[in-house]
């Protein structure tokens, strides 16, 4: 992106750069306006979390990589925020795990699918599902008109990676019997709660780690991968994230002097 | 607004209506894109706070009304989010306290001032400062190019009401020796910390209460109003808000079953 003009020394330079990247993608149609509000919610939770990948998030990242590698038909679901922030890592994760890429939108506005597909292609993607009218299968488990998926992708997948997903839709996927892996900064969201593996982290920090974990575990046997999953406890990961947030809020509160998510 | 088409029975109908109102105001230019991200941050903090006006917020609202009524030159600062969400209440508060209305923007994009002025006029405003090139005074205490204010308004005010304000600018106003009253859902923000009176609440809930409190206290003597302020402790109000958030997060964490801020 050419719109990066924030001093590197600004204490919140990174989050300001991410904001500019997202607002720039309103014009390209990759992002819907609601995506900006969702990003703001994420920022607040990330701030409370400490803006770091926690040890339990790392545990979840390892389990996520193992789940994707063990899957028969894994699919990586790409929405606007994800395309704007980490298209390259999605392509790399697809290559490392053999998972298909599917554009899967809550707000299917004219031109959006194409814009997201273009971002993925530019990042090196080959096959992209869910575009050009290919999202023709309806998930009856999702009670809204935003439930169409690609019959070659999410519809037949056994494992779906759906970061930053809407709660209703995650619930629908779980009801269909799919294993769901997600990234969500709010451990209390329904997506975080319903998923089989929840990475409570900023998607920008988590994706490179997930890619390298998938590459590292690629050579492992099915047995080894299964052992990772047997030892994994998502409820514990969620409650550890809550504890991290509670501790940090408590510490900030005691200190009485605060930093802030810098206001736009 | 005519864009309200969410079922009243939806558990998060109110916050979805507010979102639609805000996204609708991108087109009218009232709101900058960054305003949507800021709104998302507020949503997350409101969720953690319990989406209710707390007793300590009510105490702050009373102190805010007393501060505005005691001021010699009070000014109500209006930005895009505030204009989109509660223009009517700003006009009412201006009438109840004799405070002037000033459009005060972080992002001064072409047409924005005029759009916000139009919203204020439609809500019944008479004089509107800070528009038509009248924001000619520069605040040297604010280190950015976004520091222009109206020489008849904020520049000479003794009390400034700046809800949803940027931290740098709040700090600048405080350095100029002004009394600052704010509404901010994040008790850890620099605006919340620097202000003399911080209402930690959703501006949509707080404004009608602030208007009726100003109307109720209007007949009070200066002595009575001063007594309210002598008894008021903003640091305590902030730490009570933090405690409310900590308790609620703790309770949600114990319960293990969570609701969520519904995702866009």
């Amino acid at each position: 992106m050419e719109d990066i003009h924030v001093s590197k020394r600004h204490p919140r330079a990174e989050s300001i750069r991410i904001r500019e990247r997202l607002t720039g993608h309103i014009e390209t149609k990759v992002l819907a306006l609601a995506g900006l509000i969702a990003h703001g919610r994420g920022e607040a939770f990330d701030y409370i979390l400490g803006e770091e990948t926690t040890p339990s998030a790392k545990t979840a990242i390892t389990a996520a990589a193992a789940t994707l590698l063990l899957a028969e038909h894994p699919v990586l679901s790409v929405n606007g925020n994800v395309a704007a922030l980490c298209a390259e890592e999605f392509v790399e994760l697809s290559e490392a795990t053999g998972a298909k890429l599917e554009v899967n939108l809550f707000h299917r506005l004219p031109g959006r699918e194409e814009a997201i597909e273009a971002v993925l292609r530019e990042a090196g993607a080959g096959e992209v599902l869910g575009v050009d009218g290919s999202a023709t299968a309806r998930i009856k488990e999702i009670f809204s008109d935003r439930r169409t998926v690609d019959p070659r992708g999410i519809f037949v997948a056994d494992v779906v990676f759906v970061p930053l997903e809407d709660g209703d839709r995650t619930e629908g996927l779980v009801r269909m019997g799919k294993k769901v892996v997600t990234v969500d900064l709010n451990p209390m969201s329904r997506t975080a709660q319903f998923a089989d593996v929840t990475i409570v982290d900023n998607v920008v920090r988590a994706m490179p780690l997930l890619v390298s974990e998938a590459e590292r575990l690629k050579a492992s046997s099915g047995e080894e991968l299964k052992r990772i999953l047997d030892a994994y406890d998502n409820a514990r990961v969620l409650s550890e994230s809550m504890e991290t947030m509670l501790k940090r809020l408590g510490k900030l509160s005691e200190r009485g002097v605060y930093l802030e998510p810098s206001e736009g």
Side-chain angles (χ1 to χ4, degrees), chain A:
Chain A
M1 304 286 294
E2 294 304 307
D3 55 1
I4 291 164
H5 48 73
V6 178
S7 155
K8 281 229 169 197
R9 289 164 306 169
H10 190 289
R12 309 203 57 81
E14 176 64 10
S15 60
I16 291 171
R17 260 193 301 276
I18 290 175
R19 274 180 214 160
E20 290 190 347
R21 196 158 172 162
L22 288 170
T23 55
H25 271 303
I26 293 294
E27 212 177 326
T28 65
K29 295 192 174 178
V30 164
L31 215 68
L33 291 174
L36 293 179
I37 301 179
H39 180 73
R41 287 196 295 275
E43 275 190 356
F45 284 109
D46 199 15
Y47 168 66
I48 295 173
L49 198 67
E51 293 171 334
E52 279 182 1
T53 302
T54 64
S56 66
K58 285 182 187 153
T59 307
I61 286 168
T62 304
T67 304
L68 287 167
L69 290 167
L70 275 171
E72 278 188 46
H73 301 294
V75 173
L76 313 182
S77 166
V78 180
N79 66 17
N81 289 51
V82 151
L85 295 179
C86 38
E88 288 78 10
E89 288 83 358
F90 263 69
V91 173
E92 287 164 20
L93 185 62
S94 160
E95 284 162 4
T97 61
K100 296 190 172 188
L101 291 164
E102 175 167 343
V103 176
N104 181 28
L105 300 178
F106 195 84
H107 297 282
R108 285 201 181 259
L109 307 172
R112 264 197 91 198
E113 287 172 16
E114 294 79 355
I116 293 174
E117 184 185 2
V119 167
L120 288 171
R121 299 259 183 235
E122 206 181 319
E127 189 183 32
V128 177
L129 302 178
V131 294
D132 295 331
S134 67
T136 54
R138 285 175 173 271
I139 302 179
K140 68 176 187 304
E141 285 80 358
I142 298 179
F143 307 108
S144 86
D145 52 349
R146 288 142 173 175
R147 58 184 172 180
T148 57
V149 294
D150 195 310
R152 301 162 298 170
I154 290 175
F155 194 70
V156 294
D158 55 341
V159 170
V160 191
F161 179 57
V162 282
L164 319 183
E165 182 56 293
D166 165 71
D168 280 343
R169 299 210 300 180
T170 303
E171 191 177 346
L173 295 172
V174 170
R175 282 212 193 119
M176 286 175 83
K178 300 187 188 303
K179 266 206 160 192
V180 172
V181 178
T182 194
V183 181
D184 196 319
L185 274 160
N186 176 8
M188 298 166 282
S189 78
R190 280 189 300 144
T191 290
Q193 299 282 313
F194 277 118
D196 296 280
V197 179
T198 307
I199 302 166
V200 181
D201 198 12
N202 190 323
V203 74
V204 167
R205 288 192 304 269
M207 283 304 299
L209 298 173
L210 180 53
V211 169
S212 69
E213 206 53 2
E215 283 164 355
R216 184 178 73 83
L217 293 175
K218 208 174 168 175
S220 305
S221 68
E223 282 300 300
E224 287 170 307
L225 297 174
K226 273 179 201 151
R227 236 175 286 134
I228 289 171
L229 293 187
D230 285 345
Y232 180 74
D233 181 349
N234 204 51
R236 190 170 147 191
V237 157
L238 289 174
S239 79
E240 282 171 359
S241 309
M242 287 296 290
E243 270 167 43
T244 304
M245 288 171 60
L246 273 165
K247 268 189 203 149
R248 198 170 122 87
L249 263 192
K251 215 178 270 176
L252 289 169
S253 158
E254 274 167 34
R255 250 193 358 208
V257 179
Y258 310 124
L259 292 168
E260 71 169 348
S262 92
E263 286 136 86

